[in-house]
Amino acid sequence: MQLKKLELFGFKSFADRTKFDFEPGVTIIVGPNGCGKSNVVDSMKWILGEQSAKSLRGTEMLDVVFNGSRTRKPLGFAEASLTFANTRGVIHPDLDEICVTRRLHRDGQSEYMINRKSCRLKDIRELFMDTGVGLRAYSIIEQGKIDSFLQASPIDRRLVFEEAAGISKYKARKKEALRKLERVAHNLEMISINITELDKQLRSLKVQAGRARSYREAAERLRKLRIALSLHEYHGANEECLRISGDLVMVSNNLSDVKAAISVNEAEVAQVDENLKERDGMIMEKSGRLSGLENSFSLSNERIRANKMTIESLREEEIRLQERIAECESRIAEAGAEQESLKSKRTSIEERSAAIARQIELLEAELARLASGIATAQAGIQDGRSEIMQINADRARVGNDVEKLRTRFAEIDRRRASL
């Protein structure tokens, strides 16, 4: 596997697109201090997945993006690409050339690509395992790295030897498989716990289901009983309604009979009045005849004696007529009392209706007075609001004048101080 070229754009001090071609025989990059040799090594480490800004000699990862200078503006992203020749198929058996690219935008978004196709950082790390080209491999040794190798612990030194021996990929796969097995074991344990918990919940749900069935049966029975009770109450209410309807019809018939009887009594009273008028005429006529008889009594006693029997019979008839008149007067008095009672009821109803009408008139007058008062109050409120708005406007205008005077006084004070 051979490193062919390195392309940088916007990475640290490489503002312009820069390309390094590593032809066969190139083994080292030399230059004066500050020319960017360390930035080349940092770019290689950054492409291979370095996540520590401190390892790249910065405080945060965005420090790798060109931050501008006096003559150039800052760039929006940094990009670096490593191209390897894979003629012997060390990295990938089907690719003759492999280009690994990393890009970081100023908003913090990061991208990884293999042959200009998006990928994961994990894919890049797995690609270079056991090749000697990796973030912690021995192929990239920056300043101070040799001393760290010499002073490293046996465990850290073993990692380098494993990478050189080509077994790091298998150990990484073994660790990944062990982690997956641990996750599977943990998941199985959680599943068993969940199954136990679900068994408990299932037993509880069975009990609850039994209670629910009992409740449903009881609710259904209660519904049927309520329906039966409602039907019973409905039939009873229907019978009561029919009975009340019959009583109402009977009362209506009785009322019609009473009205008919009242009409008959009124006709009888009218007839009695006519008879009384006729009897009054007869009495007046008899009285006139009696007066004529009394006048003629002084002229002829004989005629009086002859007519005594007639007078006695007339008196008897008069007594009968007076008894009839008294009876009619009693009936008239009863009819008059009943008529007076009806008149008093009618008068009471008319008086109550008149009182209600007067009360309605008073309430309507009070309502009109209140409506007029509300309209007056609303007009007053509107006038008050207008006056308040005018006062606020005047207050604002006065405040502006005061502020202008204060500004003027301050200007005068400044001019006085300068003078």
Side-chain angles (χ1 to χ4, degrees), residues 310-332:
T310 304
I311 293 171
E312 289 296 331
S313 63
L314 291 172
R315 285 179 177 176
E316 290 177 358
E317 186 178 358
E318 183 180 3
I319 291 170
R320 289 194 301 272
L321 290 173
Q322 287 178 354
E323 291 177 354
R324 180 65 177 169
I325 289 169
E327 183 180 356
C328 290
E329 287 179 350
S330 176
R331 294 181 67 181
I332 289 170

Side-chain angles (χ1 to χ4, degrees), residues 156-406:
D156 294 335
R157 206 174 294 166
R158 181 179 180 179
L159 295 176
V160 178
F161 295 153
E162 287 177 351
E163 179 71 22
I167 61 173
S168 59
K169 180 185 291 187
Y170 302 103
K171 292 194 68 174
R173 291 178 179 176
K174 179 181 178 183
K175 288 181 180 179
E176 183 67 23
L178 290 174
R179 282 196 296 269
K180 289 182 179 179
L181 289 174
E182 289 177 358
R183 287 197 297 269
V184 170
H186 178 70
N187 292 336
L188 288 174
E189 183 179 357
M190 293 300 297
I191 289 171
S192 62
I193 293 172
N194 291 334
I195 289 172
T196 304
E197 185 66 26
L198 289 174
D199 288 337
K200 294 180 181 178
Q201 293 179 5
L202 182 60
R203 289 194 294 269
S204 176
L205 289 174
K206 286 181 179 179
V207 175
Q208 293 178 8
R211 292 177 180 176
R213 284 193 295 270
S214 301
Y215 171 77
R216 187 180 299 171
E217 293 175 357
E220 183 66 21
R221 184 180 177 187
L222 178 62
R223 187 181 68 83
K224 291 180 180 179
L225 291 174
R226 284 179 177 174
I227 292 172
L229 178 61
S230 299
L231 288 174
H232 178 71
E233 291 178 351
Y234 170 75
H235 291 309
N238 194 14
E239 292 176 358
E240 184 69 18
C241 183
L242 292 175
R243 186 180 63 78
I244 292 171
S245 299
D247 294 340
L248 182 61
V249 172
M250 187 180 297
V251 169
S252 298
N253 295 330
N254 293 332
L255 182 61
S256 300
D257 295 338
V258 170
K259 288 181 179 180
I262 291 172
S263 300
V264 172
N265 290 330
E266 289 178 351
E268 289 180 356
V269 169
Q271 185 66 32
V272 170
D273 289 336
E274 292 294 331
N275 293 333
L276 286 174
K277 289 180 181 180
E278 292 178 0
R279 295 299 180 185
D280 289 337
M282 292 174 67
I283 289 170
M284 291 176 67
E285 184 180 356
K286 296 293 183 181
S287 296
R289 290 175 64 185
L290 184 59
S291 297
L293 291 172
E294 286 178 353
N295 291 328
S296 61
F297 180 73
S298 61
L299 298 175
S300 179
N301 288 325
E302 292 292 335
R303 195 174 175 184
I304 291 173
R305 283 191 297 271
N307 293 324
K308 279 184 179 180
M309 295 301 294
T310 304
I311 293 171
E312 289 296 331
S313 63
L314 291 172
R315 285 179 177 176
E316 290 177 358
E317 186 178 358
E318 183 180 3
I319 291 170
R320 289 194 301 272
L321 290 173
Q322 287 178 354
E323 291 177 354
R324 180 65 177 169
I325 289 169
E327 183 180 356
C328 290
E329 287 179 350
S330 176
R331 294 181 67 181
I332 289 170
E334 291 178 358
E338 187 175 358
Q339 187 175 5
E340 289 296 328
S341 176
L342 293 174
K343 286 181 178 180
S344 63
K345 288 183 180 180
R346 180 179 179 181
T347 304
S348 176
I349 291 171
E350 290 177 351
E351 290 176 354
R352 187 176 179 185
S353 177
I356 292 172
R358 287 194 299 274
Q359 189 174 2
I360 290 172
E361 291 177 356
L362 292 174
L363 291 175
E364 288 178 349
E366 182 68 18
L367 182 61
R369 187 179 64 79
L370 290 175
S372 177
I374 290 170
T376 304
Q378 288 178 351
I381 289 170
Q382 187 66 30
D383 294 338
R385 287 178 178 174
S386 301
E387 186 175 356
I388 289 169
M389 292 175 65
Q390 184 64 34
I391 291 170
N392 289 331
D394 294 340
R395 182 182 296 174
R397 187 171 59 255
V398 170
N400 292 330
D401 294 340
V402 169
E403 189 63 30
K404 290 179 180 178
L405 289 174
R406 287 178 179 173

